Amino acid sequence: MKQILLLFACFLLCGGIAVADPIVEMKTNMGSITIELNSSKAPLTVDNFLKYVDKKFYDDTIFHRVIGNFMIQGGGFDKSETKKATLSAIKNEADNGLKNQKGTISMARTGVVDSATSQFFINLVDNHSLNHRGTSSGAYGYAVFGKVIAGMDVVEKIGKVKTISKSALFRDYPEPQVIIESVRRVKK
């Protein structure tokens, strides 16, 4: 019995128990999307995203940018098109080995490498040009931190909505609005 306990203790101490990656459900007015987050490859990004999820920050925000055959972007504006106050920007983890492939979720950012806060996008196709290719700003890429595991049909439906140009800020704006009703952690 003592040997079994020692083996079990070694198993635990050596990291033998795999911790399941967090899963979130994003409910939209067009259906639900389930996303598995990759906390081993993008720990800072996943932690940041979950802080917003736990604060219910994404409730009643919109997908404000939809470009067919490219991506859908949300997480920064409420239904009245007001930009929401965010936490501090995070370090860009685009060099984590994950690729911007169809169905992955990545952090949106400005031209500054470490500028991502709350906005994210879901890739509608494999977007190789968004992958990490070097350390300069233009080549650094966008940090992938998870993938859609259910509801890709909803993502694709959102990707096909009609868009309009409302202003310089909202050039690919869905009409009617695509609303993120809530994002919650899913219990396994």
Side-chain angles (χ1 to χ4, degrees):
M1 180 68 169
K2 191 174 185 180
Q3 289 173 332
I4 292 172
L5 288 174
L6 284 172
L7 283 172
F8 183 68
C10 180
F11 181 74
L12 289 175
L13 291 173
C14 297
I17 291 183
V19 177
D21 280 323
I23 295 176
V24 297
E25 181 182 27
M26 181 180 294
K27 292 184 180 178
T28 77
N29 61 333
M30 295 183 72
S32 292
I33 304 163
T34 306
I35 302 164
E36 182 178 46
L37 307 176
N38 193 325
S39 52
S40 63
K41 294 275 190 170
L44 299 173
T45 309
V46 169
D47 181 61
N48 177 68
F49 184 75
L50 289 174
K51 284 178 184 173
Y52 288 108
V53 168
D54 293 342
K55 290 181 177 191
K56 300 181 180 174
F57 176 91
Y58 294 117
D59 292 13
D60 295 320
T61 58
I62 57 172
F63 278 101
H64 67 276
R65 187 172 176 224
V66 172
I67 303 175
N69 294 314
F70 183 50
M71 60 89 219
I72 62 174
Q73 181 176 338
F77 296 89
D78 65 22
K79 294 187 292 188
S80 66
E81 301 166 3
T82 302
K83 188 171 185 176
K84 296 187 73 171
T86 63
L87 302 171
S88 298
I90 60 170
K91 180 173 177 7
N92 189 328
E93 294 180 301
D95 61 349
N96 63 16
L98 298 174
K99 305 295 181 198
N100 281 279
Q101 297 172 324
K102 181 177 181 176
T104 57
I105 185 171
S106 300
M107 290 306 296
R109 63 176 177 85
T110 67
V112 177
V113 171
D114 296 329
S115 61
T117 56
S118 66
Q119 292 187 38
F120 58 86
F121 61 91
I122 301 174
N123 290 289
L124 293 169
V125 296
D126 292 351
N127 285 313
H128 305 292
S129 65
L130 303 180
N131 293 333
H132 178 71
R133 300 177 314 282
T135 56
S136 70
S137 180
Y140 204 86
Y142 295 80
V144 175
F145 65 99
K147 64 183 178 184
V148 173
I149 57 171
M152 193 61 196
D153 58 325
V154 175
V155 173
E156 290 172 338
K157 187 167 47 170
I158 295 169
K160 292 177 181 168
V161 298
K162 177 184 165 213
T163 60
I164 60 171
S165 182
K166 290 187 85 163
S167 65
L169 183 62
F170 297 118
R171 288 181 295 185
D172 301 290
Y173 190 83
E175 182 71 22
Q177 281 186 336
V178 179
I179 300 165
I180 300 170
E181 297 169 346
S182 66
V183 183
R184 298 287 185 273
R185 293 184 194 234
V186 174
K187 303 268 190 234
K188 289 187 182 182

